């Protein structure tokens, strides 16, 4: 009975991932996983043959019967240099041949060929995954893409007297970080510890020094003030959001493509400068806020205002970077880009650097991010807006100048992300930015509709009223996204 209950939790997760999550069930015995290289090489080659036949033919011509060994050698060289996340996004290059190891879903539905290649990915779910050539240990569940193991799950069942704490200890004491698959950023990108009630996560195993972050929704659910943990789930396990939402294959691939990033910092340690690398996997609240905002934008289009309360120290800078990148590539139902530019307003130089580094890890397009800092003029900002730069970072002080100098923007939509939206930022300067970017024609029509009723009572203030109407209220071509840890009354009032 205990054994049945022990496996029931795993079976329920596996069934959900296969029936609802888009994963393919694969028994470990049926796979061709090679523990010496930490990959199912045959599966990877089959994917390359199917999606890139001409490139693979060239590769075979170069290496002939040695192609499989050379592919793994080159794969590991690239992974050792750049990490598996980079290789997953960019593929490998060998003797002039570029080979993709995975394809991501296109942001627009117009690219049918890329969509077909995305569908050709092999998404496999394997239980009791024997990862090592050195022992017979197994991981409860592993999710792999084209034979590359990327997600590890240790699942603990309250029915058997175990909890998420047992999974954390298992990772710390029974999973040797020197094993190939557990090397940082070489195979697994994220490790989850899961029981019925809680989820924890890490991107790096380091024995007893392994640092886990909670991956819970909060006791009252995402976006609601509450305590630790997860709310009760009348339809299943409280942690079901992990496999029903986060690990759904399209959502997970989006995390790999447009959320995860490798953070590289220089730190002083014992008088020496060391390089510290951290793989950033979004916390649940970060995923929830970005996806909720993007879904609303896609449904309603431009013209809405959003106020996001985001606690200090909970990854607000990354949330802003992820939102900016998603807004820059957001398309409507007709597959048209929703915004011409996304403008981020901040005075934090650390955010400037972090944002650029984060987005460059996703997309190496030259000029994708334009920074208009204190060393540049308001004319530079005006040019960036009118040149249609996709992501622009600027300072609050430049707001009033935009009002005076920006060209007419009729027919173009803008997303404006305000970092730390205190009342000073949502007051006169921010309103002038709204005026600068608002669709003048639409706003003046709005004014004309109510002009008669106001004219008799405030004729002397008409000019000021026009200016106020231009800078207040919603405008069809401008969306505000304000992030703050401590929203004030004036801020809440302005954002409704």
């Amino acid at each position: 009975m205990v054994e049945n209950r022990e496996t029931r939790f795993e079976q329920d997760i596996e069934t959900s991932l296969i029936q609802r999550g888009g994963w393919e069930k694969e028994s470990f015995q049926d796979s061709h996983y090679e523990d010496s290289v930490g990959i199912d090489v045959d599966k990877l080659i089959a994917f390359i043959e199917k999606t890139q036949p001409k490139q693979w033919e060239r590769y075979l011509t170069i290496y002939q019967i040695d192609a499989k060994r050379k592919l793994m050698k080159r794969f590991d060289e690239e992974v050792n240099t750049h990490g598996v996340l980079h290789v997953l996004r960019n593929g490998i290059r060998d003797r002039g041949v570029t080979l993709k190891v995975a394809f991501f879903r296109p942001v627009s539905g117009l690219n049918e060929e890329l969509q077909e290649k995305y569908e050709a990915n092999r998404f496999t779910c394997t239980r009791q995954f024997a990862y090592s050539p050195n022992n017979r240990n197994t991981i409860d569940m592993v999710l792999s893409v084209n034979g590359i193991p990327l997600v590890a799950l240790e699942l603990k069942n309250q029915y058997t007297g175990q909890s998420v704490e047992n999974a954390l200890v298992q990772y710390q004491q029974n999973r040797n970080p020197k094993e190939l698959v557990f090397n940082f950023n070489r195979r697994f990108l994220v490790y989850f510890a899961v029981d019925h009630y809680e989820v924890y996560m890490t991107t790096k195993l380091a024995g007893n020094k392994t640092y886990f972050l909670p991956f819970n929704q909060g006791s009252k659910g995402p976006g609601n003030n509450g305590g630790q943990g997860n709310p009760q789930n009348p339809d299943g396990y409280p942690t079901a959001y992990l496999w029903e939402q986060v690990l759904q294959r399209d959502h997970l691939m989006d995390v790999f493509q447009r959320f995860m990033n490798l953070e590289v910092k220089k730190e002083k340690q014992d008088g020496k400068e060391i390089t510290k690398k951290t793989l950033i996997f979004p916390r649940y609240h970060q995923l929830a806020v970005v996806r909720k905002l993007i879904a609303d934008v896609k449904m309603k289009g431009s013209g809405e205002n959003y106020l996001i309360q985001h606690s200090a120290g909970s990854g607000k800078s990354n949330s802003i970077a992820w939102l900016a990148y998603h807004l820059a590539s957001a398309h409507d139902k007709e597959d048209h880009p929703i915004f011409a530019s996304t403008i981020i307003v901040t005075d934090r130089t650390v955010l400037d650097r972090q944002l650029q580094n984060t987005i460059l890890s996703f997309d190496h397009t030259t000029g994708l991010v334009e920074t208009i800092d204190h060393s540049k003029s308001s004319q530079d900002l005006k040019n960036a807006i009118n040149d249609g730069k996709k992501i622009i970072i600027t300072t609050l002080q430049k707001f009033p100048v935009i009002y005076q100098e920006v060209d007419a923007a009729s027919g173009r939509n803008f997303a404006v992300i305000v970092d730390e939206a205190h009342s000073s930022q949502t007051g006169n300067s921010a309103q002038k930015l709204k005026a600068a970017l608002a669709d003048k024609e639409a706003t003046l029509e709005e004014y004309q509709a109510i002009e008669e009723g106001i004219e008799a009572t405030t004729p002397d203030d008409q000019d000021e009223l026009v200016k106020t109407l231009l800078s207040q209220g919603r405008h069809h071509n401008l969306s505000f996204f304000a992030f703050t840890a401590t929203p004030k009354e004036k801020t809440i009032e302005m954002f409704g």
Side-chain angles (χ1 to χ4, degrees):
M1 183 66 176
V2 170
E3 185 178 347
N4 289 341
R5 284 183 165 185
E6 188 171 10
T7 58
R8 178 66 184 270
F9 187 46
E10 292 182 22
Q11 287 173 350
D12 288 344
I13 296 173
E14 181 186 59
T15 299
S16 178
L17 286 169
I18 292 161
Q19 293 183 356
R20 300 169 59 180
W23 294 86
E24 170 190 345
K25 179 177 180 178
E26 182 176 64
S27 71
F28 186 77
Q29 290 71 24
D30 292 338
S31 74
H32 294 140
Y33 173 79
E34 299 177 35
D35 53 27
S36 60
V37 293
I39 280 181
D40 183 336
V41 189
D42 291 345
K43 195 177 272 88
L44 179 60
I45 290 175
F47 164 78
I48 292 171
E49 281 182 313
K50 183 175 181 178
T51 57
Q52 305 149 86
K54 291 182 180 178
Q55 291 90 326
W56 184 244
E57 192 176 331
R58 284 179 58 199
Y59 203 77
L60 285 174
T61 301
I62 295 169
Y63 289 119
Q64 298 180 18
I65 61 170
D66 208 21
K68 180 177 177 178
R69 187 182 69 83
K70 289 290 187 180
L71 176 69
M72 275 314 304
K73 180 175 180 293
R74 187 70 193 120
F75 178 90
D76 262 339
E77 287 171 351
E78 289 280 1
V79 165
N80 292 340
T81 303
H82 302 292
V84 74
L85 181 63
H86 175 92
V87 171
L88 196 66
R89 289 173 177 161
N90 301 285
I92 62 175
R93 189 167 176 81
D94 190 8
R95 300 279 293 270
V97 181
T98 299
L99 297 171
K100 293 281 190 180
V101 301
F103 280 97
F104 292 95
R105 202 176 185 183
V107 294
S108 163
L110 299 175
N111 194 328
E112 292 183 11
E113 182 183 353
L114 199 54
Q115 181 64 32
E116 287 176 5
K117 288 185 176 181
Y118 172 73
E119 294 296 336
N121 287 316
R122 289 286 303 279
F123 300 99
T124 51
C125 171
T126 310
R127 287 170 60 189
Q128 299 308 313
F129 191 95
Y131 57 85
S132 176
N134 305 314
N135 55 57
R136 303 179 75 177
N137 292 347
T138 61
I139 301 169
D140 287 338
M141 189 172 292
V142 167
L143 302 181
S144 305
V145 178
N146 302 323
I148 307 169
L150 298 174
V151 180
L153 297 108
E154 291 294 353
L155 309 171
K156 299 306 168 189
N157 194 331
Q158 265 79 6
Y159 288 137
T160 62
Q162 291 193 316
S163 72
V164 71
E165 295 294 332
N166 298 94
L168 301 183
V169 170
Q170 193 169 28
Y171 277 127
Q172 291 171 328
Q173 299 182 4
N174 299 328
R175 301 290 178 252
N176 185 353
K178 293 182 180 180
E179 291 265 9
L180 170 62
V181 292
F182 299 139
N183 286 180
F184 175 70
N185 199 13
R186 286 192 70 190
R187 294 298 184 268
F188 289 115
L189 289 173
V190 62
Y191 306 86
F192 287 104
V194 190
D195 66 14
H196 293 187
Y197 302 105
E198 291 194 89
V199 181
Y200 282 81
M201 163 276 282
T202 187
T203 58
K204 183 178 183 178
L205 295 187
N208 289 326
K209 293 181 180 179
T210 303
Y211 182 67
F212 289 93
L213 287 167
F215 196 80
N216 300 313
Q217 301 178 87
S219 62
K220 293 188 178 179
N224 300 312
N225 289 330
Q228 298 178 348
N230 291 295
Q232 291 296 314
N233 180 3
D235 300 316
Y237 303 102
T239 51
Y241 62 91
L242 177 66
W243 52 90
E244 290 177 358
Q245 300 171 28
V246 180
L247 299 181
Q248 195 274 344
R249 71 171 200 186
D250 297 339
H251 289 178
L252 184 64
M253 289 296 280
D254 182 56
V255 170
F256 291 151
Q257 182 188 17
R258 302 194 294 170
F259 280 93
M260 281 198 84
N261 62 290
L262 181 65
E263 188 178 86
V264 182
K265 289 182 178 179
K266 301 285 186 181
E267 292 184 356
K268 290 283 186 181
Q269 197 173 88
D270 299 327
K272 296 180 180 179
E273 187 177 76
I274 62 166
T275 300
K276 184 180 179 181
K277 295 182 179 181
T278 307
L279 266 178
I280 306 295
F281 191 96
R283 306 277 289 278
Y284 184 81
H285 68 269
Q286 294 175 302
L287 271 179
V289 72
V290 172
R291 286 183 170 156
K292 192 180 292 184
L293 289 168
I294 294 298
D296 202 73
V297 164
K298 287 185 174 183
M299 182 173 67
K300 297 177 182 175
S302 180
E304 300 290 323
N305 293 337
Y306 305 89
L307 180 63
I308 303 100
Q309 184 175 0
H310 203 308
S311 303
S314 62
K316 182 156 66 79
S317 297
N318 273 320
S319 295
I320 290 173
W322 293 325
L323 177 62
Y325 188 65
H326 279 73
L327 288 170
S329 59
H331 285 65
D332 61 21
K333 293 176 183 177
E334 283 73 42
D335 274 319
H336 300 130
I338 296 172
F339 299 111
S341 298
T342 297
I343 303 168
I344 300 165
V345 183
T346 179
D347 278 337
R348 291 192 293 151
T349 53
V350 64
L351 180 60
D352 290 4
R353 292 193 301 272
Q354 184 172 340
L355 183 82
Q356 291 190 78
N357 292 338
T358 299
I359 291 174
L360 280 173
S361 73
F362 305 141
D363 194 326
H364 294 280
T365 304
T366 305
L368 179 68
V369 181
E370 184 86 3
T371 299
I372 311 296
D373 55 20
H374 296 283
S375 67
K376 293 185 180 179
S377 70
S378 54
Q379 183 63 39
D380 293 319
L381 177 55
K382 174 187 173 185
N383 293 340
I385 291 171
N386 293 315
D387 290 346
K389 295 292 185 181
K390 293 302 289 181
I391 297 174
I392 303 166
I393 310 172
T394 190
T395 61
L396 177 64
Q397 288 72 25
K398 298 265 190 317
F399 270 18
V401 186
I402 299 174
Y403 174 60
Q404 298 168 4
E405 293 193 3
V406 74
D407 288 349
S410 181
R412 295 168 64 204
N413 299 328
F414 299 91
V416 179
I417 300 175
V418 183
D419 178 27
E420 199 59 42
H422 289 307
S423 55
S424 61
Q425 287 175 306
T426 56
N428 196 40
S429 294
Q431 290 178 7
K432 284 182 176 180
L433 177 64
K434 288 187 99 174
L437 298 181
D439 187 320
K440 299 293 197 299
E441 186 178 348
T443 307
L444 288 173
E445 285 178 0
E446 175 188 336
Y447 168 70
Q448 186 178 359
I450 60 170
E451 187 179 27
E452 283 185 31
I454 302 171
E455 190 173 18
T457 55
T458 55
D460 296 334
D461 298 326
Q462 231 178 68
D463 290 339
E464 188 62 30
L465 179 62
V466 172
K467 201 178 287 186
T468 303
L469 283 171
L470 283 169
S471 60
Q472 290 185 346
R474 293 180 180 176
H475 300 287
H476 295 303
N477 72 332
L478 180 62
S479 292
F480 259 84
F481 303 82
F483 282 77
T484 180
T486 53
K488 297 182 180 180
E489 271 190 47
K490 287 184 180 178
T491 308
I492 294 170
E493 187 180 335
M494 177 173 174
F495 284 87

